[in-house]
Amino acid sequence: MHSIQLTLHASESNPKFRRSWMFPRAIRKIYPWKLAQICQILNQMALNNWSQDIQNEFSRLLTAGNLKGQNDIRDPKSGGARTYISQLESIGLLYRNKKELFFTLAGKSLIDFETPLKVLQHQLLNYQYPSTYSNGRNVRIDPDIRIKPFVFVLKLLKHASIKYLTVDEITFCVVYGHNSGCEDLIIGKVLDFRKGNSSRSDLLNFIDNPLEDLSTPKATQKDNAKKLLVEAINVANTFKNYLISSSLAYEEAGTKNIIISEEFTDVIDDSILNINNFIPYTPGFDEKFTRAYGSWNKKKDTTTNSERKKLNKGEAIISSQFFEYIGNVLITESAEDFISKMTKDFGFNRDLVLDVITPLIPKSLTFFESKYLELSKGGVATARDFELATAELFRTRLGIDATHTGSIHKKGVGGYSDIILSNESLGECAIADTKASSYYTLPSTDYAKMISNYIPNYKQLGLASDHTLGFILYVAGGLGGEIQSKLLTLYKESGFPASAINAKTLIEVAQIRDLKKDHIWEKLKTNKVLKTSDFH
């Protein structure tokens, strides 16, 4: 069934409104840990008195947390802080009540370490025009544009004739994505763009009426079509950064192609089914809309604007720095590297640092999730970091001894797998190989390496020479092709159980409470592509 073309024609549009998408870009890459860090800083401000002095203090704390460029805020009426507030409000983390600011349920969940990646994904999958943001004075997107931009693009990525999009191609969505009925028009433009092997310099040729289609309320007669197109491309690039930050899609290693993340198919498909279900928006009722949008895991936000738990300035700095740290590093229970940094670089007392971070450590893995998924699909550029992170995940979160062996040089022919796992209680070890690939199929070369190198050579490492080999495991960003049948063939030929698990599943398993090491070990022997449900 073909969608109906329902774009806004020049004769129908109002020059006072923008006819294309727009997104705030104070924070260009909205990783969950970064949003949580900013919310944590903001949570320490006097939000009932959003004065210029408070805004300037907020900007200074952002700078101290490496979230904002060095800026002395020489302008006493600097609007820098307001751009961050606008961005948090646009994705449903904050709302306004007169001159006061309050966190939505989604914003509170980020601060409280509650499944941050799921929060961000939910907010983007429900991001819509019209909204409080799209009706803003400096945005003014045409109110007749009714679309969920992230769901719309994800639906395109699932289309058999599209499969991937570049920033240049997303520009067609930015300009012509006025509602879900514009799908065929945009698919046609993308395919025509590809057919001619076109580049960015040709993009303007595919815009029907450049001065009208690219027009914005701020455009002047001096603005030519090329200048307006650059702005549309910048919006497309911001959109890409948002989407990748949520792990719903990723940039294919070695290309500029944006591809859907298959491991999130369920949540994406559900959103596509609801692509035309919008939160009602009425100008002047902005608080009602934003609270509904930000209620993320509940049908309605019925909370009262109660007093927030406040930290002193030192505690706030420690907490903010910790958000960044756990967003990029898989920490152990002690987090000694972070404690050392806080005491040596900032001069904080060790006991104070421990008091602040100890309640946060148990949930810290939820913030590393998006980073781990990014490493798992980065190809050669992230392969070694993915190996190290996977070994650390087994060791510190699953309680299974893991030694990184991928960098150990072997004399003579052959080599070693990336990781050796050990289980002393069972007297067994396992060979684990990681692949920073979004679509790993266990190709014949890797199959041959396992049979002729990794299995015969593992005992030479001396790590588990007195252990029997329990199983073979592949860990990758994504799994596909005929990997299931290849695992069974590998089992039959080698005599050892062979399984595979994707990065998302592994990190979800690491967050299941009270899993026993031996239980996990036995589940890894099941000769299949493993799912989270297999471990419950």
Side-chain angles (χ1 to χ4, degrees):
M1 182 176 179
H2 293 287
S3 54
I4 302 170
Q5 180 179 327
L6 293 170
T7 55
L8 300 178
H9 296 288
S11 59
E12 302 170 343
S13 63
N14 187 327
K16 293 182 180 180
F17 293 114
R18 169 184 285 269
R19 299 175 60 208
S20 56
W21 300 354
M22 187 175 175
F23 307 93
R25 48 179 180 255
I27 319 160
R28 293 184 180 272
K29 294 187 177 179
I30 55 170
Y31 293 119
W33 65 263
K34 187 175 290 188
L35 292 175
Q37 187 180 16
I38 293 170
C39 287
Q40 180 67 267
I41 292 172
L42 187 62
N43 196 35
Q44 309 313 312
M45 303 288 101
L47 301 184
N48 61 338
N49 177 26
W50 194 235
S51 65
Q52 189 61 53
D53 286 343
I54 296 296
Q55 292 178 46
N56 290 348
E57 176 64 14
F58 177 52
S59 290
R60 278 189 281 270
L61 287 173
L62 289 175
T63 301
N66 298 318
L67 289 161
K68 193 174 185 293
Q70 294 297 322
N71 183 0
D72 293 330
I73 316 180
R74 295 184 179 87
D75 181 358
K77 294 185 179 180
S78 169
R82 290 192 290 274
T83 63
Y84 284 81
I85 297 303
S86 176
Q87 188 160 13
L88 296 177
E89 186 178 25
S90 77
I91 53 179
L93 304 181
L94 281 179
Y95 67 91
R96 304 170 194 253
N97 184 315
K98 297 179 181 178
K99 293 185 178 181
E100 295 186 58
L101 299 175
F102 299 95
F103 288 103
T104 63
L105 294 177
K108 291 174 183 175
S109 292
L110 280 183
I111 295 171
D112 293 339
F113 279 48
E114 294 177 9
T115 57
L117 185 59
K118 288 182 180 178
V119 172
L120 177 58
Q121 289 179 347
H122 181 275
Q123 294 311 109
L124 293 192
L125 291 171
N126 286 278
Y127 194 104
Q128 69 172 61
Y129 305 132
S131 65
T132 297
Y133 172 73
S134 71
N135 190 53
R137 183 177 60 183
N138 295 321
V139 181
R140 297 185 63 76
I141 293 175
D142 195 310
D144 288 333
I145 293 178
R146 290 178 58 81
I147 195 166
K148 293 181 177 179
F150 294 95
V151 181
F152 182 80
V153 168
L154 288 165
K155 187 180 180 188
L156 283 182
L157 290 173
K158 289 177 70 71
H159 196 283
S161 63
I162 297 296
K163 296 183 179 178
Y164 70 89
L165 288 168
T166 64
V167 168
D168 291 345
E169 293 166 351
I170 292 172
T171 303
F172 294 128
C173 301
V174 169
V175 177
Y176 294 111
H178 296 159
N179 51 64
S180 60
C182 299
E183 183 178 321
D184 282 351
L185 170 69
I186 292 170
I187 288 174
K189 286 188 175 293
V190 170
L191 295 180
D192 287 345
F193 186 73
R194 292 178 183 177
K195 190 185 302 179
N197 199 25
S198 304
S199 64
R200 181 166 295 184
S201 61
D202 304 308
L203 196 55
L204 198 59
N205 298 330
F206 294 85
I207 305 298
D208 299 332
N209 301 291
L211 290 176
E212 291 83 9
D213 294 348
L214 300 170
S215 179
T216 70
K218 291 186 176 182
T220 68
Q221 292 182 344
K222 294 181 180 179
D223 291 332
N224 58 37
K226 288 185 178 179
K227 182 177 179 181
L228 294 173
L229 179 62
V230 168
E231 171 58 23
I233 293 171
N234 287 338
V235 172
N237 190 62
T238 300
F239 175 92
K240 177 207 76 172
N241 288 335
Y242 274 42
L243 193 59
I244 290 176
S245 297
S246 72
S247 298
L248 291 169
Y250 63 96
E251 195 167 53
E252 186 180 32
T255 75
K256 296 293 184 181
N257 298 339
I258 311 304
I259 297 175
I260 202 164
S261 295
E262 294 294 338
E263 61 267 37
F264 293 107
T265 294
D266 289 350
V267 67
I268 291 170
D269 286 348
D270 184 63
S271 295
I272 290 172
L273 287 175
N274 292 284
I275 193 169
N276 288 316
N277 291 342
F278 293 89
I279 300 169
Y281 174 71
T282 303
F285 292 86
D286 294 324
E287 178 185 338
K288 181 179 179 181
F289 170 83
T290 308
R291 290 185 75 167
Y293 173 35
S295 62
W296 90 278
N297 62 346
K298 296 181 174 64
K299 292 183 178 179
K300 189 175 182 181
D301 180 358
T302 57
T303 58
T304 57
N305 300 322
S306 56
E307 181 66 24
R308 294 167 288 125
K309 180 183 178 182
K310 300 293 289 292
L311 306 175
N312 63 42
K313 187 173 291 187
E315 292 170 334
I317 291 173
I318 294 168
S319 179
S320 170
Q321 290 286 322
F322 192 60
F323 275 105
E324 179 175 7
Y325 185 75
I326 61 178
N328 290 283
V329 178
L330 181 60
I331 66 168
T332 61
E333 293 182 0
S334 60
E336 280 300 328
D337 287 346
F338 177 78
I339 295 169
S340 177
K341 177 184 177 183
M342 289 294 100
T343 55
K344 292 180 180 178
D345 295 354
F346 289 81
F348 289 118
N349 178 276
R350 177 184 174 86
D351 290 339
L352 174 62
V353 177
L354 279 170
D355 285 345
V356 173
I357 71 171
T358 297
L360 307 178
I361 288 176
K363 295 182 180 180
S364 62
L365 186 59
T366 63
F367 278 92
F368 184 70
E369 182 175 2
S370 57
K371 179 69 174 181
Y372 186 64
L373 296 179
E374 184 180 329
L375 294 176
S376 75
K377 298 177 181 179
V380 176
T382 63
R384 188 171 187 278
D385 286 341
F386 182 49
E387 294 170 15
L388 293 169
T390 301
E392 189 72 7
L393 194 61
F394 271 103
R395 188 165 49 247
T396 63
R397 295 294 176 166
L398 296 171
I400 294 174
D401 289 339
T403 303
H404 177 241
T405 53
S407 300
I408 298 177
H409 177 70
K410 180 184 178 297
K411 293 181 180 180
V413 180
Y416 304 115
S417 65
D418 296 324
I419 299 167
I420 294 293
L421 305 175
S422 301
N423 187 323
E424 293 294 331
S425 63
L426 297 177
E428 291 184 353
C429 66
I431 294 171
D433 216 30
T434 63
K435 302 295 175 182
S437 167
S438 59
Y439 192 77
Y440 183 67
T441 61
L442 185 48
S444 57
T445 51
D446 288 351
Y447 185 100
K449 282 182 183 178
M450 184 60 69
I451 292 293
S452 60
N453 288 328
Y454 300 161
I455 294 174
N457 295 342
Y458 81 93
K459 285 196 174 184
Q460 296 177 22
L461 289 164
L463 298 169
S465 55
D466 58 341
H467 288 34
T468 58
L469 185 59
F471 59 88
I472 298 160
L473 179 68
Y474 289 94
V475 184
L479 302 165
E482 298 178 354
I483 190 168
Q484 179 63 69
S485 62
K486 291 178 181 178
L487 291 170
L488 291 173
T489 303
L490 180 58
Y491 165 56
K492 291 174 183 177
E493 183 174 353
S494 69
F496 301 106
S499 300
I501 190 168
N502 70 34
K504 177 177 178 287
T505 299
L506 184 60
I507 206 162
E508 285 177 348
V509 171
Q511 295 177 67
I512 299 174
R513 291 185 178 182
D514 302 324
L515 275 185
K516 302 299 183 183
K517 177 176 66 175
D518 289 352
H519 172 77
I520 298 170
W521 191 268
E522 291 304 317
K523 293 297 182 181
L524 293 173
K525 294 181 178 181
T526 48
N527 285 314
K528 62 185 286 190
V529 174
L530 294 158
K531 299 178 180 179
T532 308
S533 57
D534 292 322
F535 293 85
H536 285 288

